Amino acid sequence: MKLSTLEEEIAGYVENVKKAAKFIEQKVKQPPKVSVILGSGLGDISQSLEEAYVIPYDEVPGFPTSTAPGHKGELLFGEISGQPTMLMSGRSHYYEGYSMRTVTFPVRVMQELGVETMIITNASGGLDPSFDVGHPMVIRDQINFMGDSPLIGPNVDDWGPRFPDMSEPYDRDLIDTALEAAKELGIGVYEGVYVAVSGPNFETPAELRMLRRFGAEAVGMSTVPEVIVANHAGMRVLGISAITDRAVPEDLKPLTAEEVLQVAKQTGSKISSIILRVIKRLSED
Ligand code: HPA
């Protein structure tokens, strides 16, 4: 592909993002300051949104729809503890065949809407042998092992720098607030590094051994692209994984997506209560 073609493609993408943001702005009472991306089976928090206004993804021009199980495909707008918040119930994944840019389209829309803080959740396998399933893990750092980046191609200087800093991909203050919130709520949480693979297959024992040696505590198939774009956009990020299965080579059992979804649902209410408390703290700052 010629560079000029790539530049045309990006220009079209920017236009679509702006169109989607404008569409949303015209529908909602106030632009969101906080966004929450809900992963597989983690839709619980949507009940906590005051006076929620719902927009299905397929009504927003250019918005990618998810084909993954447990992903609803709705944007919800409203307030949590007085903070204008946008919830994304369901997300699209790289393994569905979307490009990295399409996967992160919603994050660019958030940027255009003026979102300052992005909270992102997912289901993941616990690589750390001491992890029990059904507990949240607050993400301290991440490894991009997807073999692609949403920032490849011409840089949109209005959105962020060509070579964005990633020295603190997840905001230290938000991590501390989330850990404190969990403690106050009596919820046992882990803290660790999340590594993203492309999927859609789960990992072989040899791959799990490798990922553990890389220094990761949890493995999943999402989040990393969105967090790269949010950092590029200058947002503060908090990430929480639901540990849905033991990704430990020594006692690996056959794993199904249904099992992951079921445990994610059980862990969802814990993650929701932590997030609600974090957003409350944001409103007290
Ligand atoms: N591996 C990759 N992705 C996942 C897993 C896993 O074990 N569990 C939930 N998502």
Side-chain angles (χ1 to χ4, degrees):
M1 210 188 293
K2 289 209 307 261
L3 202 57
S4 59
T5 322
L6 267 176
E7 265 155 12
E8 275 166 28
E9 196 185 305
I10 289 281
Y13 179 79
V14 172
E15 204 181 305
N16 286 342
V17 166
K18 289 187 193 259
K19 235 187 255 171
K22 194 150 269 163
F23 176 86
I24 292 168
E25 265 165 3
Q26 284 165 353
K27 297 233 170 205
V28 301
K29 267 196 272 182
Q30 49 183 345
K33 286 272 169 260
V34 180
S35 69
V36 188
I37 301 179
L38 303 168
S40 315
L42 298 165
D44 238 45
I45 201 172
S46 47
Q47 290 142 23
S48 312
L49 210 61
E50 291 150 33
E51 292 178 53
Y53 183 81
V54 184
I55 309 178
Y57 291 174
D58 55 13
E59 281 183 19
V60 185
F63 219 84
T65 51
S66 175
T67 60
H71 290 259
K72 230 173 162 177
E74 276 178 359
L75 288 176
L76 292 98
F77 296 85
E79 284 191 2
I80 294 177
S81 297
Q83 291 277 320
T85 303
M86 162 182 176
L87 294 187
M88 264 186 73
S89 184
R91 62 143 69 82
S92 55
H93 302 81
Y94 189 57
Y95 65 72
E96 293 176 73
Y98 291 115
S99 71
M100 282 274 174
R101 247 201 296 280
T102 302
V103 166
T104 52
F105 184 95
V107 184
R108 289 304 183 193
V109 174
M110 289 171 196
Q111 178 177 15
E112 286 290 321
L113 289 170
V115 166
E116 293 164 356
T117 304
M118 183 182 89
I119 302 174
I120 186 160
T121 65
N122 60 51
S124 68
L127 294 162
D128 184 328
S130 74
F131 280 10
D132 289 325
V133 301
H135 291 278
M137 182 190 87
V138 177
I139 307 177
R140 176 171 15 97
D141 202 346
Q142 71 180 27
I143 298 173
N144 180 7
F145 200 61
M146 297 178 101
D148 198 355
S149 164
L151 302 182
I152 286 175
N155 186 55
V156 182
D157 295 335
D158 283 349
W159 278 347
R162 169 77 291 188
F163 300 106
D165 171 60
M166 286 290 276
S167 57
E168 196 183 318
Y170 296 85
D171 185 86
R172 192 65 241 177
D173 288 341
L174 290 176
I175 293 172
D176 289 343
T177 307
L179 294 173
E180 234 175 73
K183 204 167 174 188
E184 287 162 12
L185 292 160
I187 297 168
V189 288
Y190 302 116
E191 185 187 341
V193 173
Y194 175 89
V195 59
V197 293
S198 71
N201 58 291
F202 291 117
E203 298 70 37
T204 66
E207 285 165 346
L208 293 176
R209 215 167 282 122
M210 172 190 72
L211 296 170
R212 180 70 185 136
R213 284 192 188 150
F214 278 175
E217 276 76 35
V219 55
M221 303 172 192
S222 68
T223 304
V224 160
E226 291 99 318
V227 172
I228 290 173
V229 168
N231 272 265
H232 186 245
M235 293 177 201
R236 298 208 298 165
V237 179
L238 172 68
I240 305 181
S241 280
I243 304 294
T244 55
D245 52 277
R246 278 173 65 76
V248 177
E250 290 72 31
D251 49 30
L252 197 61
K253 292 180 201 75
L255 179 64
T256 64
E258 289 70 30
E259 206 177 314
V260 166
L261 201 56
Q262 197 189 348
V263 184
K265 275 185 186 152
Q266 290 160 11
T267 319
S269 61
K270 293 181 190 170
I271 293 180
S272 297
S273 19
I274 295 170
I275 292 174
L276 288 175
R277 204 163 268 225
V278 169
I279 297 178
K280 187 156 181 275
R281 287 284 149 76
L282 287 177
S283 68
E284 291 161 2
D285 282 348

